[in-house]
Amino acid sequence: MVRIGCSGWSYDHWRGVLYPEHGPTGGWLSLYAQHFDTVEVNATFYRLPRKSTVERWASATPDGFCFAVKASRYLTHVRRLQGLEEGLRRLEERIAPLREPTK
């Protein structure tokens, strides 16, 4: 299976192209999901999102939508992929809503 998506969905320069020219950004992921079935989550590279934020992402997309979650730079650049157990556990805990029920 091949999925095509973008590296994120929060791009102001997409206003007037994929998103309405004016208005709030809160609905952008839902609008994005009308055109693509996959997105890379770049935010997780820079910091762990709140579980409530991830729950909003999951609820904004249809069942079967695929989130490709980028590993934290702490794990990849600071820890250099060594001793990852605790960091991966924390990441998995935060992104759990993306796995429920079919995400």
Side-chain angles (χ1 to χ4, degrees):
M1 176 188 302
V2 174
R3 291 181 176 254
I4 297 174
C6 300
S7 181
W9 66 88
S10 186
Y11 298 106
D12 200 53
H13 62 277
W14 288 1
R15 284 183 185 268
V17 180
L18 190 64
Y19 307 132
E21 187 71 40
H22 302 287
T25 61
W28 284 7
L29 179 56
S30 290
L31 292 170
Y32 173 93
Q34 292 175 18
H35 300 276
F36 299 99
D37 66 356
T38 303
V39 72
E40 180 184 31
V41 181
N42 284 320
T44 52
F45 182 72
Y46 299 101
R47 66 189 159 281
L48 286 176
R50 288 189 209 121
K51 196 168 186 179
S52 61
T53 298
V54 177
E55 288 168 346
R56 282 194 305 276
W57 296 344
S59 69
T61 56
D63 286 349
F65 189 86
C66 181
F67 289 88
V69 178
K70 199 169 186 177
S72 164
R73 66 181 169 180
Y74 174 76
L75 301 176
T76 61
H77 291 66
V78 175
R79 298 289 308 170
R80 299 203 182 270
L81 302 177
Q82 301 295 313
L84 302 178
E85 295 77 18
E86 178 62 19
L88 286 175
R89 185 196 60 74
R90 290 180 63 211
L91 176 61
E92 287 279 347
E93 181 180 282
R94 299 286 182 94
I95 65 168
L98 301 182
R99 296 183 183 277
E100 303 161 2
T102 59
K103 300 235 187 309

PDB file of all heavy atoms in Angstrom, residues 9-44:
ATOM      1  N   TRP A   9       0.346  19.799   8.510  1.00  0.00           N
ATOM      2  CA  TRP A   9      -0.872  20.392   7.956  1.00  0.00           C
ATOM      3  C   TRP A   9      -1.040  21.864   8.339  1.00  0.00           C
ATOM      4  O   TRP A   9      -1.944  22.521   7.871  1.00  0.00           O
ATOM      5  CB  TRP A   9      -2.105  19.616   8.410  1.00  0.00           C
ATOM      6  CG  TRP A   9      -2.365  19.692   9.885  1.00  0.00           C
ATOM      7  CD1 TRP A   9      -3.105  20.657  10.540  1.00  0.00           C
ATOM      8  CD2 TRP A   9      -1.904  18.801  10.894  1.00  0.00           C
ATOM      9  NE1 TRP A   9      -3.120  20.416  11.891  1.00  0.00           N
ATOM     10  CE2 TRP A   9      -2.377  19.256  12.141  1.00  0.00           C
ATOM     11  CE3 TRP A   9      -1.128  17.636  10.874  1.00  0.00           C
ATOM     12  CZ2 TRP A   9      -2.113  18.620  13.335  1.00  0.00           C
ATOM     13  CZ3 TRP A   9      -0.866  17.001  12.072  1.00  0.00           C
ATOM     14  CH2 TRP A   9      -1.346  17.477  13.278  1.00  0.00           C
ATOM     15  N   SER A  10      -0.158  22.377   9.146  1.00  0.00           N
ATOM     16  CA  SER A  10      -0.317  23.734   9.659  1.00  0.00           C
ATOM     17  C   SER A  10       0.609  24.709   8.930  1.00  0.00           C
ATOM     18  O   SER A  10       1.662  25.091   9.444  1.00  0.00           O
ATOM     19  CB  SER A  10      -0.036  23.742  11.160  1.00  0.00           C
ATOM     20  OG  SER A  10      -0.325  25.013  11.689  1.00  0.00           O
ATOM     21  N   TYR A  11       0.202  25.076   7.738  1.00  0.00           N
ATOM     22  CA  TYR A  11       1.005  25.974   6.922  1.00  0.00           C
ATOM     23  C   TYR A  11       0.168  27.178   6.503  1.00  0.00           C
ATOM     24  O   TYR A  11      -0.792  27.038   5.739  1.00  0.00           O
ATOM     25  CB  TYR A  11       1.549  25.246   5.688  1.00  0.00           C
ATOM     26  CG  TYR A  11       2.465  24.108   6.059  1.00  0.00           C
ATOM     27  CD1 TYR A  11       2.057  22.792   5.937  1.00  0.00           C
ATOM     28  CD2 TYR A  11       3.735  24.374   6.559  1.00  0.00           C
ATOM     29  CE1 TYR A  11       2.897  21.744   6.298  1.00  0.00           C
ATOM     30  CE2 TYR A  11       4.583  23.333   6.923  1.00  0.00           C
ATOM     31  CZ  TYR A  11       4.155  22.030   6.789  1.00  0.00           C
ATOM     32  OH  TYR A  11       5.000  21.010   7.154  1.00  0.00           O
ATOM     33  N   ASP A  12       0.529  28.329   6.996  1.00  0.00           N
ATOM     34  CA  ASP A  12      -0.227  29.544   6.720  1.00  0.00           C
ATOM     35  C   ASP A  12      -0.305  29.849   5.221  1.00  0.00           C
ATOM     36  O   ASP A  12      -1.318  30.367   4.749  1.00  0.00           O
ATOM     37  CB  ASP A  12       0.390  30.723   7.484  1.00  0.00           C
ATOM     38  CG  ASP A  12      -0.587  31.858   7.645  1.00  0.00           C
ATOM     39  OD1 ASP A  12      -1.713  31.621   8.137  1.00  0.00           O
ATOM     40  OD2 ASP A  12      -0.236  32.984   7.251  1.00  0.00           O
ATOM     41  N   HIS A  13       0.733  29.500   4.482  1.00  0.00           N
ATOM     42  CA  HIS A  13       0.720  29.793   3.044  1.00  0.00           C
ATOM     43  C   HIS A  13      -0.241  28.881   2.264  1.00  0.00           C
ATOM     44  O   HIS A  13      -0.415  29.064   1.059  1.00  0.00           O
ATOM     45  CB  HIS A  13       2.138  29.751   2.460  1.00  0.00           C
ATOM     46  CG  HIS A  13       2.810  28.426   2.551  1.00  0.00           C
ATOM     47  ND1 HIS A  13       3.462  27.998   3.686  1.00  0.00           N
ATOM     48  CD2 HIS A  13       2.928  27.437   1.646  1.00  0.00           C
ATOM     49  CE1 HIS A  13       3.959  26.785   3.473  1.00  0.00           C
ATOM     50  NE2 HIS A  13       3.651  26.427   2.239  1.00  0.00           N
ATOM     51  N   TRP A  14      -0.903  27.943   2.926  1.00  0.00           N
ATOM     52  CA  TRP A  14      -1.938  27.148   2.283  1.00  0.00           C
ATOM     53  C   TRP A  14      -3.303  27.829   2.350  1.00  0.00           C
ATOM     54  O   TRP A  14      -4.273  27.333   1.784  1.00  0.00           O
ATOM     55  CB  TRP A  14      -2.022  25.763   2.923  1.00  0.00           C
ATOM     56  CG  TRP A  14      -0.875  24.861   2.596  1.00  0.00           C
ATOM     57  CD1 TRP A  14       0.220  25.128   1.839  1.00  0.00           C
ATOM     58  CD2 TRP A  14      -0.722  23.516   3.046  1.00  0.00           C
ATOM     59  NE1 TRP A  14       1.054  24.034   1.787  1.00  0.00           N
ATOM     60  CE2 TRP A  14       0.499  23.028   2.529  1.00  0.00           C
ATOM     61  CE3 TRP A  14      -1.474  22.674   3.837  1.00  0.00           C
ATOM     62  CZ2 TRP A  14       0.961  21.744   2.769  1.00  0.00           C
ATOM     63  CZ3 TRP A  14      -1.011  21.395   4.083  1.00  0.00           C
ATOM     64  CH2 TRP A  14       0.191  20.933   3.551  1.00  0.00           C
ATOM     65  N   ARG A  15      -3.372  28.982   3.068  1.00  0.00           N
ATOM     66  CA  ARG A  15      -4.635  29.743   3.096  1.00  0.00           C
ATOM     67  C   ARG A  15      -4.961  30.167   1.662  1.00  0.00           C
ATOM     68  O   ARG A  15      -4.104  30.592   0.909  1.00  0.00           O
ATOM     69  CB  ARG A  15      -4.486  30.994   3.955  1.00  0.00           C
ATOM     70  CG  ARG A  15      -4.508  30.738   5.433  1.00  0.00           C
ATOM     71  CD  ARG A  15      -4.423  32.076   6.176  1.00  0.00           C
ATOM     72  NE  ARG A  15      -4.334  31.924   7.593  1.00  0.00           N
ATOM     73  CZ  ARG A  15      -5.392  31.912   8.416  1.00  0.00           C
ATOM     74  NH1 ARG A  15      -6.600  32.045   7.915  1.00  0.00           N
ATOM     75  NH2 ARG A  15      -5.218  31.779   9.710  1.00  0.00           N
ATOM     76  N   GLY A  16      -6.225  30.016   1.322  1.00  0.00           N
ATOM     77  CA  GLY A  16      -6.650  30.382  -0.025  1.00  0.00           C
ATOM     78  C   GLY A  16      -6.348  29.315  -1.055  1.00  0.00           C
ATOM     79  O   GLY A  16      -6.741  29.447  -2.212  1.00  0.00           O
ATOM     80  N   VAL A  17      -5.632  28.271  -0.662  1.00  0.00           N
ATOM     81  CA  VAL A  17      -5.335  27.157  -1.570  1.00  0.00           C
ATOM     82  C   VAL A  17      -6.054  25.906  -1.065  1.00  0.00           C
ATOM     83  O   VAL A  17      -6.963  25.392  -1.713  1.00  0.00           O
ATOM     84  CB  VAL A  17      -3.809  26.906  -1.677  1.00  0.00           C
ATOM     85  CG1 VAL A  17      -3.511  25.751  -2.611  1.00  0.00           C
ATOM     86  CG2 VAL A  17      -3.088  28.158  -2.111  1.00  0.00           C
ATOM     87  N   LEU A  18      -5.670  25.420   0.098  1.00  0.00           N
ATOM     88  CA  LEU A  18      -6.302  24.253   0.710  1.00  0.00           C
ATOM     89  C   LEU A  18      -7.280  24.670   1.802  1.00  0.00           C
ATOM     90  O   LEU A  18      -8.273  23.994   2.042  1.00  0.00           O
ATOM     91  CB  LEU A  18      -5.226  23.329   1.303  1.00  0.00           C
ATOM     92  CG  LEU A  18      -5.672  21.955   1.769  1.00  0.00           C
ATOM     93  CD1 LEU A  18      -6.177  21.115   0.597  1.00  0.00           C
ATOM     94  CD2 LEU A  18      -4.539  21.230   2.473  1.00  0.00           C
ATOM     95  N   TYR A  19      -7.000  25.774   2.446  1.00  0.00           N
ATOM     96  CA  TYR A  19      -7.817  26.289   3.549  1.00  0.00           C
ATOM     97  C   TYR A  19      -8.459  27.612   3.151  1.00  0.00           C
ATOM     98  O   TYR A  19      -7.980  28.292   2.244  1.00  0.00           O
ATOM     99  CB  TYR A  19      -6.947  26.496   4.795  1.00  0.00           C
ATOM    100  CG  TYR A  19      -6.149  25.288   5.197  1.00  0.00           C
ATOM    101  CD1 TYR A  19      -4.797  25.390   5.486  1.00  0.00           C
ATOM    102  CD2 TYR A  19      -6.736  24.029   5.275  1.00  0.00           C
ATOM    103  CE1 TYR A  19      -4.054  24.269   5.866  1.00  0.00           C
ATOM    104  CE2 TYR A  19      -6.009  22.914   5.631  1.00  0.00           C
ATOM    105  CZ  TYR A  19      -4.669  23.038   5.936  1.00  0.00           C
ATOM    106  OH  TYR A  19      -3.947  21.938   6.298  1.00  0.00           O
ATOM    107  N   PRO A  20      -9.528  27.997   3.867  1.00  0.00           N
ATOM    108  CA  PRO A  20     -10.131  29.302   3.577  1.00  0.00           C
ATOM    109  C   PRO A  20      -9.121  30.438   3.776  1.00  0.00           C
ATOM    110  O   PRO A  20      -8.214  30.333   4.606  1.00  0.00           O
ATOM    111  CB  PRO A  20     -11.260  29.414   4.605  1.00  0.00           C
ATOM    112  CG  PRO A  20     -11.545  28.021   5.026  1.00  0.00           C
ATOM    113  CD  PRO A  20     -10.245  27.279   4.919  1.00  0.00           C
ATOM    114  N   GLU A  21      -9.293  31.480   3.030  1.00  0.00           N
ATOM    115  CA  GLU A  21      -8.391  32.630   3.090  1.00  0.00           C
ATOM    116  C   GLU A  21      -8.354  33.241   4.490  1.00  0.00           C
ATOM    117  O   GLU A  21      -7.310  33.648   4.973  1.00  0.00           O
ATOM    118  CB  GLU A  21      -8.838  33.685   2.070  1.00  0.00           C
ATOM    119  CG  GLU A  21      -7.888  34.850   1.933  1.00  0.00           C
ATOM    120  CD  GLU A  21      -6.588  34.488   1.237  1.00  0.00           C
ATOM    121  OE1 GLU A  21      -6.626  33.727   0.265  1.00  0.00           O
ATOM    122  OE2 GLU A  21      -5.526  34.971   1.691  1.00  0.00           O
ATOM    123  N   HIS A  22      -9.507  33.297   5.144  1.00  0.00           N
ATOM    124  CA  HIS A  22      -9.602  33.915   6.469  1.00  0.00           C
ATOM    125  C   HIS A  22     -10.276  32.943   7.432  1.00  0.00           C
ATOM    126  O   HIS A  22     -10.956  32.020   7.014  1.00  0.00           O
ATOM    127  CB  HIS A  22     -10.401  35.217   6.391  1.00  0.00           C
ATOM    128  CG  HIS A  22      -9.810  36.212   5.441  1.00  0.00           C
ATOM    129  ND1 HIS A  22      -8.671  36.913   5.726  1.00  0.00           N
ATOM    130  CD2 HIS A  22     -10.185  36.584   4.198  1.00  0.00           C
ATOM    131  CE1 HIS A  22      -8.366  37.695   4.708  1.00  0.00           C
ATOM    132  NE2 HIS A  22      -9.275  37.505   3.749  1.00  0.00           N
ATOM    133  N   GLY A  23     -10.085  33.182   8.704  1.00  0.00           N
ATOM    134  CA  GLY A  23     -10.746  32.369   9.709  1.00  0.00           C
ATOM    135  C   GLY A  23      -9.762  31.617  10.572  1.00  0.00           C
ATOM    136  O   GLY A  23      -8.542  31.688  10.373  1.00  0.00           O
ATOM    137  N   PRO A  24     -10.292  30.872  11.534  1.00  0.00           N
ATOM    138  CA  PRO A  24      -9.449  30.159  12.497  1.00  0.00           C
ATOM    139  C   PRO A  24      -8.731  28.966  11.868  1.00  0.00           C
ATOM    140  O   PRO A  24      -9.162  28.426  10.853  1.00  0.00           O
ATOM    141  CB  PRO A  24     -10.441  29.704  13.565  1.00  0.00           C
ATOM    142  CG  PRO A  24     -11.747  29.608  12.855  1.00  0.00           C
ATOM    143  CD  PRO A  24     -11.713  30.679  11.794  1.00  0.00           C
ATOM    144  N   THR A  25      -7.658  28.588  12.497  1.00  0.00           N
ATOM    145  CA  THR A  25      -6.843  27.459  12.018  1.00  0.00           C
ATOM    146  C   THR A  25      -7.272  26.131  12.634  1.00  0.00           C
ATOM    147  O   THR A  25      -6.792  25.083  12.215  1.00  0.00           O
ATOM    148  CB  THR A  25      -5.359  27.698  12.335  1.00  0.00           C
ATOM    149  OG1 THR A  25      -5.198  27.798  13.756  1.00  0.00           O
ATOM    150  CG2 THR A  25      -4.856  28.970  11.664  1.00  0.00           C
ATOM    151  N   GLY A  26      -8.162  26.168  13.605  1.00  0.00           N
ATOM    152  CA  GLY A  26      -8.544  24.964  14.334  1.00  0.00           C
ATOM    153  C   GLY A  26      -9.118  23.847  13.491  1.00  0.00           C
ATOM    154  O   GLY A  26      -9.033  22.684  13.866  1.00  0.00           O
ATOM    155  N   GLY A  27      -9.687  24.160  12.352  1.00  0.00           N
ATOM    156  CA  GLY A  27     -10.271  23.126  11.506  1.00  0.00           C
ATOM    157  C   GLY A  27      -9.389  22.660  10.374  1.00  0.00           C
ATOM    158  O   GLY A  27      -9.818  21.877   9.524  1.00  0.00           O
ATOM    159  N   TRP A  28      -8.162  23.117  10.351  1.00  0.00           N
ATOM    160  CA  TRP A  28      -7.293  22.792   9.222  1.00  0.00           C
ATOM    161  C   TRP A  28      -7.032  21.298   9.062  1.00  0.00           C
ATOM    162  O   TRP A  28      -6.986  20.799   7.943  1.00  0.00           O
ATOM    163  CB  TRP A  28      -5.977  23.550   9.330  1.00  0.00           C
ATOM    164  CG  TRP A  28      -6.083  24.991   8.951  1.00  0.00           C
ATOM    165  CD1 TRP A  28      -7.223  25.701   8.667  1.00  0.00           C
ATOM    166  CD2 TRP A  28      -5.012  25.909   8.815  1.00  0.00           C
ATOM    167  NE1 TRP A  28      -6.909  27.005   8.360  1.00  0.00           N
ATOM    168  CE2 TRP A  28      -5.556  27.160   8.450  1.00  0.00           C
ATOM    169  CE3 TRP A  28      -3.640  25.811   8.981  1.00  0.00           C
ATOM    170  CZ2 TRP A  28      -4.780  28.289   8.228  1.00  0.00           C
ATOM    171  CZ3 TRP A  28      -2.863  26.930   8.760  1.00  0.00           C
ATOM    172  CH2 TRP A  28      -3.434  28.161   8.389  1.00  0.00           C
ATOM    173  N   LEU A  29      -6.847  20.577  10.152  1.00  0.00           N
ATOM    174  CA  LEU A  29      -6.568  19.142  10.013  1.00  0.00           C
ATOM    175  C   LEU A  29      -7.756  18.426   9.370  1.00  0.00           C
ATOM    176  O   LEU A  29      -7.571  17.573   8.503  1.00  0.00           O
ATOM    177  CB  LEU A  29      -6.192  18.516  11.355  1.00  0.00           C
ATOM    178  CG  LEU A  29      -5.903  17.016  11.341  1.00  0.00           C
ATOM    179  CD1 LEU A  29      -4.809  16.654  10.337  1.00  0.00           C
ATOM    180  CD2 LEU A  29      -5.526  16.545  12.744  1.00  0.00           C
ATOM    181  N   SER A  30      -8.962  18.778   9.773  1.00  0.00           N
ATOM    182  CA  SER A  30     -10.156  18.165   9.157  1.00  0.00           C
ATOM    183  C   SER A  30     -10.216  18.462   7.661  1.00  0.00           C
ATOM    184  O   SER A  30     -10.534  17.581   6.864  1.00  0.00           O
ATOM    185  CB  SER A  30     -11.425  18.689   9.820  1.00  0.00           C
ATOM    186  OG  SER A  30     -11.538  18.193  11.115  1.00  0.00           O
ATOM    187  N   LEU A  31      -9.916  19.694   7.291  1.00  0.00           N
ATOM    188  CA  LEU A  31      -9.903  20.058   5.870  1.00  0.00           C
ATOM    189  C   LEU A  31      -8.800  19.308   5.132  1.00  0.00           C
ATOM    190  O   LEU A  31      -9.011  18.815   4.014  1.00  0.00           O
ATOM    191  CB  LEU A  31      -9.723  21.566   5.711  1.00  0.00           C
ATOM    192  CG  LEU A  31     -10.891  22.424   6.187  1.00  0.00           C
ATOM    193  CD1 LEU A  31     -10.498  23.900   6.204  1.00  0.00           C
ATOM    194  CD2 LEU A  31     -12.104  22.192   5.304  1.00  0.00           C
ATOM    195  N   TYR A  32      -7.633  19.221   5.728  1.00  0.00           N
ATOM    196  CA  TYR A  32      -6.522  18.481   5.143  1.00  0.00           C
ATOM    197  C   TYR A  32      -6.945  17.031   4.874  1.00  0.00           C
ATOM    198  O   TYR A  32      -6.679  16.470   3.809  1.00  0.00           O
ATOM    199  CB  TYR A  32      -5.318  18.537   6.090  1.00  0.00           C
ATOM    200  CG  TYR A  32      -4.165  17.659   5.669  1.00  0.00           C
ATOM    201  CD1 TYR A  32      -3.133  18.167   4.892  1.00  0.00           C
ATOM    202  CD2 TYR A  32      -4.117  16.317   6.034  1.00  0.00           C
ATOM    203  CE1 TYR A  32      -2.081  17.349   4.488  1.00  0.00           C
ATOM    204  CE2 TYR A  32      -3.072  15.504   5.641  1.00  0.00           C
ATOM    205  CZ  TYR A  32      -2.056  16.020   4.867  1.00  0.00           C
ATOM    206  OH  TYR A  32      -1.024  15.219   4.469  1.00  0.00           O
ATOM    207  N   ALA A  33      -7.622  16.429   5.861  1.00  0.00           N
ATOM    208  CA  ALA A  33      -8.013  15.011   5.771  1.00  0.00           C
ATOM    209  C   ALA A  33      -9.061  14.763   4.687  1.00  0.00           C
ATOM    210  O   ALA A  33      -9.298  13.611   4.318  1.00  0.00           O
ATOM    211  CB  ALA A  33      -8.521  14.529   7.128  1.00  0.00           C
ATOM    212  N   GLN A  34      -9.664  15.800   4.158  1.00  0.00           N
ATOM    213  CA  GLN A  34     -10.580  15.636   3.028  1.00  0.00           C
ATOM    214  C   GLN A  34      -9.831  15.409   1.722  1.00  0.00           C
ATOM    215  O   GLN A  34     -10.413  14.953   0.742  1.00  0.00           O
ATOM    216  CB  GLN A  34     -11.479  16.869   2.894  1.00  0.00           C
ATOM    217  CG  GLN A  34     -12.453  17.026   4.037  1.00  0.00           C
ATOM    218  CD  GLN A  34     -13.239  18.317   3.946  1.00  0.00           C
ATOM    219  OE1 GLN A  34     -13.320  18.961   2.899  1.00  0.00           O
ATOM    220  NE2 GLN A  34     -13.828  18.712   5.054  1.00  0.00           N
ATOM    221  N   HIS A  35      -8.529  15.714   1.703  1.00  0.00           N
ATOM    222  CA  HIS A  35      -7.728  15.603   0.481  1.00  0.00           C
ATOM    223  C   HIS A  35      -6.653  14.518   0.560  1.00  0.00           C
ATOM    224  O   HIS A  35      -6.231  14.001  -0.467  1.00  0.00           O
ATOM    225  CB  HIS A  35      -7.064  16.946   0.169  1.00  0.00           C
ATOM    226  CG  HIS A  35      -8.054  18.041  -0.039  1.00  0.00           C
ATOM    227  ND1 HIS A  35      -8.679  18.262  -1.244  1.00  0.00           N
ATOM    228  CD2 HIS A  35      -8.547  18.956   0.814  1.00  0.00           C
ATOM    229  CE1 HIS A  35      -9.506  19.277  -1.132  1.00  0.00           C
ATOM    230  NE2 HIS A  35      -9.445  19.726   0.108  1.00  0.00           N
ATOM    231  N   PHE A  36      -6.176  14.239   1.767  1.00  0.00           N
ATOM    232  CA  PHE A  36      -5.105  13.264   1.966  1.00  0.00           C
ATOM    233  C   PHE A  36      -5.518  12.281   3.059  1.00  0.00           C
ATOM    234  O   PHE A  36      -6.287  12.630   3.949  1.00  0.00           O
ATOM    235  CB  PHE A  36      -3.808  13.960   2.397  1.00  0.00           C
ATOM    236  CG  PHE A  36      -3.270  14.938   1.387  1.00  0.00           C
ATOM    237  CD1 PHE A  36      -3.497  16.298   1.520  1.00  0.00           C
ATOM    238  CD2 PHE A  36      -2.520  14.499   0.302  1.00  0.00           C
ATOM    239  CE1 PHE A  36      -3.005  17.213   0.602  1.00  0.00           C
ATOM    240  CE2 PHE A  36      -2.021  15.401  -0.629  1.00  0.00           C
ATOM    241  CZ  PHE A  36      -2.261  16.758  -0.475  1.00  0.00           C
ATOM    242  N   ASP A  37      -4.969  11.065   3.006  1.00  0.00           N
ATOM    243  CA  ASP A  37      -5.290  10.081   4.048  1.00  0.00           C
ATOM    244  C   ASP A  37      -4.127   9.831   5.006  1.00  0.00           C
ATOM    245  O   ASP A  37      -4.189   8.950   5.847  1.00  0.00           O
ATOM    246  CB  ASP A  37      -5.753   8.769   3.419  1.00  0.00           C
ATOM    247  CG  ASP A  37      -4.671   8.053   2.625  1.00  0.00           C
ATOM    248  OD1 ASP A  37      -3.554   8.599   2.476  1.00  0.00           O
ATOM    249  OD2 ASP A  37      -4.935   6.937   2.147  1.00  0.00           O
ATOM    250  N   THR A  38      -3.076  10.635   4.882  1.00  0.00           N
ATOM    251  CA  THR A  38      -1.865  10.467   5.681  1.00  0.00           C
ATOM    252  C   THR A  38      -1.232  11.829   5.939  1.00  0.00           C
ATOM    253  O   THR A  38      -1.281  12.702   5.075  1.00  0.00           O
ATOM    254  CB  THR A  38      -0.831   9.602   4.914  1.00  0.00           C
ATOM    255  OG1 THR A  38      -1.421   8.347   4.592  1.00  0.00           O
ATOM    256  CG2 THR A  38       0.428   9.377   5.716  1.00  0.00           C
ATOM    257  N   VAL A  39      -0.620  11.962   7.114  1.00  0.00           N
ATOM    258  CA  VAL A  39       0.157  13.165   7.400  1.00  0.00           C
ATOM    259  C   VAL A  39       1.320  12.797   8.318  1.00  0.00           C
ATOM    260  O   VAL A  39       1.201  11.914   9.160  1.00  0.00           O
ATOM    261  CB  VAL A  39      -0.706  14.277   8.041  1.00  0.00           C
ATOM    262  CG1 VAL A  39      -1.097  13.951   9.481  1.00  0.00           C
ATOM    263  CG2 VAL A  39      -0.011  15.622   7.976  1.00  0.00           C
ATOM    264  N   GLU A  40       2.435  13.452   8.101  1.00  0.00           N
ATOM    265  CA  GLU A  40       3.557  13.302   9.017  1.00  0.00           C
ATOM    266  C   GLU A  40       3.391  14.337  10.128  1.00  0.00           C
ATOM    267  O   GLU A  40       3.094  15.499   9.864  1.00  0.00           O
ATOM    268  CB  GLU A  40       4.889  13.544   8.302  1.00  0.00           C
ATOM    269  CG  GLU A  40       6.076  13.400   9.242  1.00  0.00           C
ATOM    270  CD  GLU A  40       7.401  13.727   8.572  1.00  0.00           C
ATOM    271  OE1 GLU A  40       7.417  14.577   7.657  1.00  0.00           O
ATOM    272  OE2 GLU A  40       8.405  13.142   8.971  1.00  0.00           O
ATOM    273  N   VAL A  41       3.573  13.894  11.353  1.00  0.00           N
ATOM    274  CA  VAL A  41       3.474  14.797  12.500  1.00  0.00           C
ATOM    275  C   VAL A  41       4.881  15.249  12.865  1.00  0.00           C
ATOM    276  O   VAL A  41       5.651  14.503  13.462  1.00  0.00           O
ATOM    277  CB  VAL A  41       2.789  14.123  13.705  1.00  0.00           C
ATOM    278  CG1 VAL A  41       2.685  15.093  14.868  1.00  0.00           C
ATOM    279  CG2 VAL A  41       1.420  13.590  13.313  1.00  0.00           C
ATOM    280  N   ASN A  42       5.215  16.460  12.469  1.00  0.00           N
ATOM    281  CA  ASN A  42       6.535  17.019  12.761  1.00  0.00           C
ATOM    282  C   ASN A  42       6.664  17.538  14.187  1.00  0.00           C
ATOM    283  O   ASN A  42       7.750  17.578  14.744  1.00  0.00           O
ATOM    284  CB  ASN A  42       6.847  18.172  11.804  1.00  0.00           C
ATOM    285  CG  ASN A  42       7.221  17.687  10.434  1.00  0.00           C
ATOM    286  OD1 ASN A  42       7.929  16.700  10.291  1.00  0.00           O
ATOM    287  ND2 ASN A  42       6.747  18.373   9.425  1.00  0.00           N
ATOM    288  N   ALA A  43       5.548  17.952  14.774  1.00  0.00           N
ATOM    289  CA  ALA A  43       5.579  18.564  16.107  1.00  0.00           C
ATOM    290  C   ALA A  43       6.228  17.650  17.139  1.00  0.00           C
ATOM    291  O   ALA A  43       6.897  18.130  18.061  1.00  0.00           O
ATOM    292  CB  ALA A  43       4.164  18.930  16.541  1.00  0.00           C
ATOM    293  N   THR A  44       6.061  16.342  16.981  1.00  0.00           N
ATOM    294  CA  THR A  44       6.618  15.401  17.954  1.00  0.00           C
ATOM    295  C   THR A  44       8.141  15.361  17.924  1.00  0.00           C
ATOM    296  O   THR A  44       8.763  14.870  18.868  1.00  0.00           O
ATOM    297  CB  THR A  44       6.058  13.989  17.705  1.00  0.00           C
ATOM    298  OG1 THR A  44       6.243  13.655  16.321  1.00  0.00           O
ATOM    299  CG2 THR A  44       4.586  13.924  18.060  1.00  0.00           C
TER     300      THR A  44
END
